[in-house]
Amino acid sequence: LSTKIDMKTINALLLLSVYAVKGQDANTPVFTDNIRDDQCSALPHLVPGLADVYTVGVLAIRGFPAAYEEFNTTFSEYLTVTAGKRFERPVKFVMKPLDFESLFNEIASSQVDFFYVNPSAYSCVESEFGAHSLVSQISKRKVGDKEYDLTEFGGVIFARADSGIDTIEQIKDKVVAAASISGLGSGQMQFRKLLQHGLHYLNDPSQVVFTSNQEKVVNGVLKGDFDVGFVRTDQIERTTDEATGGLVDKSLLKVIAPVEGLESGGEPFPFESSTELYSEWNLAALNHVPNNVNLAVQEALVALMDHAEIGDMLTECYDANNCHGTVRGLQGYDDDFAQDGMLDDGMLDEFAMDDMLDDGMLADDITYLADDDGVFEKNICMEECDATIPLPTPRCETTPSLAYLAHAARKAGKYAGFRTTLTYMSLRDMQEETGFIRKNPSTGKMQCVRANNIYDAVSCPRGHFKKSPYDVVNGCELADKSCAEGFQCLCKPCVKAFEVGVFLRDKDTDEACDKFSVCGQLEQGKELVFLATDNKKRDEMELTVKVHAGKVVHDILTERVLPEDIIKDDSVSSFVKSQATNHTHVFKVSSDKVGVMMMEVLADGKHIPESPFRILVEPRDCSGVGNNRIPDVEGNCVCAHNTVEEAGNCVEPSQIKNTVLTIMGVLVLGFLSVFLVHRVRAVSRLERDHQMLLNRLNEVVGSTGNFPHGETPIKDGHKELGLGAMMNRNELIDFGVLAIFFIGFTTFAYYNMASTFITYSAI
């Protein structure tokens, strides 16, 4: 016979023999890739203006190659042969891996139509751009020898079993590790829990380390590198211990504050969780996608689990009968074309593509499409296995090729399937509480904090502001704490502050002035220098200061100062230096009036919430000017009330009196001394003269020594001679001058003393 018999004909003949052996005739319905009209009545939808290609963005938290390996089969191949065939003109679905930054950029420019992300990212996109969730993922998790299909997960806070950390409050001043500041199961879930217990997740730990990998968090806690770790539920159970090479011994760790009685889908949740449970990852559509396309995608993904269950049975049969030996690869599927497309789209670089090929990530059992109908060539062994599937299947559109494709899709994606979407409102509440989503003052829309660097991602607690970029980035080094290579670390990046922080420049303090607090003290006539930092970082903000001294109001000039000028000033404390930014102002305050001044600070003409402040003006210290001086109301140093100014000095009246009396006493003593000296000299001279006179008389009257009348003429002669006989002329003149000086000084002292007492009495 010259008739050519192709492989399909041979397989059909062989299949008939199989039916005969099983007692079936050729008209008995069997499970094949040909769907008969009486089996499934689903018809294509007609959608005007339908696009030829729809792009599904996938958040690649483990890198682009891993994302492609896990989800290309689901969102490219499976959706193309299911949802894509629902339309009169078939459409194609393409999966595109994205990181956090490119995700928002691609969505903003409508470069993607659907996106598969973690719930945190979905909440951000939904708030800012508008989107609606179609399906939520059903995760497959294994505990011991049991498997669980879960639609929710939680966050675990854990420490070493011997750490002594038993409560959330004890996390304060500890080293904490998480995967990412923007992560959900290893970050934001636990952040909310700490806030609920009065701790801030960035400022209360001594250090927060972001490892970008949850397994590193678990191993870091085991090794003692971190005190506390944050991971998602089931992460500890599936982490490999770096020290042993086996799974982590969970008894070495303990979960802090586990929530009791957690349920998911009406069943007890199989893992310990320190937080409430949140919905799993989801696929969402942007608002520009036609509704019929959304419905087709939603229905296809919800049906994937039923298709995959049949695919599991087929795979078991294929494996048991070694059916894979004859046919490898898929008819009509061009691996080179797929690889070139990925490279052209920028999804992978050549090195990543080579790694995927070497690792078997693009192997035959990952790519199942054959021709346009999604059917690949089979051998008789496979068709025998197909015939064992009982009919009807749960879904009429299920075919062996579709079942096998669905099986491969969920195996690569490590999930159980999808269900109609769950709610994500509790997640939105969590993000608002933790400060990761807030209203944009410019647009009025709620928007997530999106950051290109760790500094921009920091969200500080109320009443606190971020330190300068330098202090945040280098904060751990400044605190003498190490940060391993490849990690990102934060050490208390926020500081308690106000809208406008007002600081006394020279004061060694660690906080700004508070409302009605004493912000500074100064002496009369001196000045205080203040720094005011606008923590809102308003470039055009005008700062004004008013000082009230009694009924007098003074307007104080302010000017901006460069932070480097403050930093290099040795008189400024380290804390105040850390507050200096490009939005810092400087101003000076002085007063001559003793008392309390009120200082108002206004930003753009409005009082800042912390204003006003008090300033105490103390009396001037006059000790350096002279003794007994005090400041007057103008701050001038004058003599104290009980003193008078004398020769530039302030002295008390009693001191003048004592001085005068001392001088008078000295003069009196001097006068008396002079008088006595002259008296002694006069008596001595008189006795000498007396003796000379006697000698002369003896010479005149002879030796009898008798005078007439029986008297001695010179007896008591000094009385007869008088004062003049006691002093010579010069001595008498000296004595007279001394007497006149004494009388004059006494008169002068009398009048001066009287004047002093009068002055003192008047005061």
Side-chain angles (χ1 to χ4, degrees):
L1 294 175
S2 60
T3 304
K4 295 178 66 177
I5 302 177
D6 60 16
M7 183 61 69
K8 287 186 178 180
T9 303
I10 295 175
N11 285 342
L13 293 173
L14 292 173
L15 192 57
L16 288 175
S17 64
V18 173
Y19 297 154
V21 172
K22 293 185 176 183
Q24 301 173 343
D25 60 44
N27 295 320
T28 302
V30 293
F31 187 53
T32 70
D33 285 323
N34 298 314
I35 300 176
R36 292 172 18 171
D37 291 340
D38 59 349
Q39 286 180 278
C40 192
S41 59
L43 296 175
H45 299 286
L46 301 177
V47 181
L50 196 68
D52 293 327
V53 178
Y54 287 95
T55 302
V56 181
V58 173
L59 183 60
I61 60 173
R62 287 180 288 275
F64 286 5
Y68 188 87
E69 175 191 7
E70 293 174 6
F71 296 107
N72 182 64
T73 307
T74 300
F75 297 123
S76 290
E77 300 175 9
Y78 174 79
L79 285 182
T80 295
V81 300
T82 53
K85 303 300 182 185
R86 296 286 298 274
F87 308 103
E88 187 175 66
R89 188 180 76 235
V91 299
K92 182 179 180 181
F93 289 85
V94 176
M95 173 264 189
K96 188 174 187 178
L98 304 168
D99 56 24
F100 275 103
E101 182 178 357
S102 60
L103 170 70
F104 289 98
N105 293 336
E106 296 276 321
I107 288 175
S109 58
S110 298
Q111 296 300 305
V112 296
D113 306 291
F114 302 89
F115 57 97
Y116 172 73
V117 292
N118 68 32
S120 179
Y122 165 71
S123 179
C124 293
V125 174
E126 190 273 335
S127 299
E128 188 170 351
F129 302 102
H132 44 280
S133 179
L134 300 179
V135 293
S136 297
Q137 178 180 287
I138 304 172
S139 297
K140 184 178 291 292
R141 295 291 182 257
K142 187 175 182 179
V143 181
D145 57 351
K146 294 184 179 179
E147 287 189 350
Y148 298 89
D149 294 343
L150 303 173
T151 58
E152 297 174 299
F153 68 110
V156 178
I157 303 173
F158 69 100
R160 282 177 59 103
D162 58 359
S163 66
I165 302 174
D166 300 305
T167 66
I168 291 178
E169 289 74 12
Q170 291 175 318
I171 296 176
K172 185 176 177 64
D173 295 327
K174 299 296 190 297
V175 178
V176 174
S180 168
I181 194 171
S182 57
L184 181 59
S186 181
Q188 293 181 7
M189 287 187 186
Q190 294 87 345
F191 296 165
R192 184 188 198 186
K193 192 71 173 182
L194 264 63
L195 291 174
Q196 292 172 344
H197 284 256
L199 299 181
H200 190 266
Y201 51 90
L202 296 181
N203 234 38
D204 280 312
S206 62
Q207 184 181 35
V208 181
V209 181
F210 298 108
T211 65
S212 75
N213 183 296
Q214 294 190 44
E215 284 204 357
K216 292 181 179 179
V217 174
V218 177
N219 278 288
V221 172
L222 279 173
K223 292 186 294 184
D225 295 338
F226 318 127
D227 299 315
V228 178
F230 296 166
V231 294
R232 66 165 285 160
T233 47
D234 77 65
Q235 180 62 54
I236 294 176
E237 288 80 1
R238 56 193 175 99
T239 295
T240 301
D241 190 331
E242 293 177 355
T244 65
L247 291 177
V248 165
D249 182 357
K250 193 179 176 183
S251 66
L252 299 176
L253 303 171
K254 62 180 172 184
V255 176
I256 299 172
V259 179
E260 301 293 337
L262 283 177
E263 291 187 354
S264 179
E267 298 291 332
F269 191 71
F271 301 98
E272 287 186 299
S273 176
S274 303
T275 72
E276 63 180 274
L277 302 180
Y278 297 86
S279 301
E280 269 284 3
W281 285 49
N282 63 319
L283 181 85
L286 294 175
N287 291 337
H288 67 265
V289 180
N291 188 53
N292 279 352
V293 178
N294 292 335
L295 289 174
V297 170
Q298 183 185 52
E299 291 171 3
L301 290 176
V302 170
L304 185 146
M305 179 181 284
D306 289 335
H307 298 324
E309 294 297 332
I310 303 299
D312 291 346
M313 291 189 289
L314 288 176
T315 301
E316 290 179 6
C317 183
Y318 293 166
D319 292 341
N321 293 279
N322 194 26
C323 294
H324 297 288
T326 304
V327 179
R328 303 293 291 176
L330 303 177
Q331 181 185 24
Y333 185 78
D334 189 346
D335 243 2
D336 294 335
F337 173 79
Q339 297 168 26
D340 293 341
M342 292 169 63
L343 291 170
D344 292 341
D345 290 342
M347 294 159 55
L348 298 172
D349 56 34
E350 294 182 4
F351 297 103
M353 181 67 70
D354 291 340
D355 290 341
M356 292 172 65
L357 290 170
D358 292 342
D359 293 342
M361 293 163 60
L362 296 179
D364 296 333
D365 56 352
I366 296 297
T367 53
Y368 296 92
L369 293 185
D371 53 30
D372 292 338
D373 295 325
V375 179
F376 60 88
E377 294 285 351
K378 298 181 181 179
N379 57 25
I380 188 62
C381 176
M382 291 181 176
E383 293 187 348
E384 286 181 354
C385 287
D386 295 348
T388 64
I389 302 300
L391 296 177
T393 55
R395 294 185 176 272
C396 64
E397 70 271 22
T398 305
T399 65
S401 293
L402 180 59
Y404 198 34
L405 178 61
H407 157 79
R410 75 171 183 175
K411 178 181 178 182
K414 302 178 181 66
Y415 57 80
F418 296 91
R419 55 151 293 166
T420 52
T421 188
L422 296 167
T423 179
Y424 292 88
M425 285 304 299
S426 62
L427 188 78
R428 169 71 173 269
D429 294 339
M430 179 271 290
Q431 288 180 307
E432 290 190 27
E433 285 184 36
T434 53
F436 284 97
I437 188 170
R438 63 189 70 162
K439 182 176 289 187
N440 186 321
S442 301
T443 64
K445 294 182 179 180
M446 298 301 290
Q447 180 175 319
C448 280
V449 176
R450 300 205 304 271
N452 296 324
N453 54 67
I454 191 71
Y455 179 81
D456 292 338
V458 171
S459 178
C460 292
R462 185 180 299 274
H464 290 67
F465 290 88
K466 275 190 288 188
K467 296 179 181 178
S468 67
Y470 175 84
D471 286 322
V472 171
V473 174
N474 299 282
C476 292
E477 181 180 351
L478 296 173
D480 198 25
K481 291 186 176 294
S482 62
C483 184
E485 184 178 355
F487 293 169
Q488 289 184 310
C489 304
L490 292 173
C491 291
K492 298 186 181 297
C494 305
V495 62
K496 185 177 181 181
F498 305 113
E499 176 184 321
V500 176
V502 179
F503 308 90
L504 188 59
R505 186 189 65 178
D506 300 332
K507 185 178 181 181
D508 188 8
T509 180
D510 59 355
E511 59 183 17
C513 297
D514 205 349
K515 194 179 187 75
F516 287 114
S517 67
V518 176
C519 198
Q521 293 178 306
L522 76 157
E523 291 183 9
Q524 288 173 293
K526 294 187 177 182
E527 65 181 13
L528 293 177
V529 181
F530 290 93
L531 298 175
T533 297
D534 178 22
N535 290 306
K536 287 191 172 182
K537 298 177 174 58
R538 293 165 286 191
D539 293 331
E540 304 300 327
M541 189 271 286
E542 181 180 356
L543 186 77
T544 55
V545 178
K546 295 180 180 293
V547 174
H548 298 258
K551 296 182 179 180
V552 180
V553 180
H554 301 281
D555 291 325
I556 307 299
L557 296 176
T558 68
E559 61 180 356
R560 290 210 175 186
V561 60
L562 296 175
E564 51 264 31
D565 292 338
I566 299 174
I567 293 172
K568 67 184 180 182
D569 188 344
D570 294 336
S571 65
V572 180
S573 68
S574 58
F575 173 77
V576 175
K577 287 181 180 180
S578 70
Q579 304 307 300
T581 69
N582 291 325
H583 299 83
T584 297
H585 299 71
V586 63
F587 60 91
K588 300 176 181 179
V589 174
S590 63
S591 177
D592 293 331
K593 305 293 185 183
V594 175
V596 179
M597 298 191 302
M598 300 302 293
M599 182 173 71
E600 297 177 291
V601 178
L602 300 92
D604 291 330
K606 296 181 180 180
H607 281 278
I608 64 173
E610 296 72 40
S611 177
F613 311 101
R614 292 186 297 158
I615 297 178
L616 300 183
V617 183
E618 300 175 335
R620 178 181 175 184
D621 182 7
C622 293
S623 60
V625 179
N627 295 329
N628 297 324
R629 289 190 178 272
I630 60 173
D632 62 10
V633 292
E634 301 296 333
N636 300 312
C637 291
V638 298
C639 290
H641 299 316
N642 61 340
T643 65
V644 293
E645 187 166 355
E646 185 71 30
N649 295 317
C650 297
V651 295
E652 298 178 3
S654 58
Q655 291 179 311
I656 298 177
K657 179 180 178 181
N658 293 336
T659 302
V660 172
L661 292 177
T662 300
I663 295 173
M664 289 180 64
V666 171
L667 290 175
V668 170
L669 290 175
F671 178 79
L672 292 177
S673 298
V674 172
F675 176 78
L676 291 175
V677 169
H678 283 284
R679 177 77 175 181
V680 171
R681 289 178 179 177
V683 172
S684 176
R685 187 169 54 251
L686 183 61
E687 289 179 348
R688 186 178 65 249
D689 291 345
H690 185 204
Q691 184 63 41
M692 291 175 64
L693 182 60
L694 287 177
N695 293 337
R696 292 178 63 187
L697 287 176
N698 285 336
E699 292 177 357
V700 174
V701 298
S703 59
T704 60
N706 294 320
F707 290 90
H709 311 297
E711 294 180 355
T712 303
I714 61 174
K715 184 180 180 181
D716 296 326
H718 62 280
K719 292 181 180 179
E720 296 179 5
L721 294 174
L723 184 62
M726 297 176 64
M727 299 182 183
N728 60 27
R729 182 180 178 184
N730 291 334
E731 290 174 342
L732 188 60
I733 292 173
D734 292 341
F735 184 79
V737 172
L738 183 61
I740 293 170
F741 176 78
F742 176 75
I743 294 170
F745 179 81
T746 303
T747 304
F748 173 80
Y750 171 78
Y751 284 109
N752 274 275
M753 287 287 291
S755 176
T756 300
F757 289 128
I758 291 171
T759 302
Y760 179 73
S761 299
I763 294 174

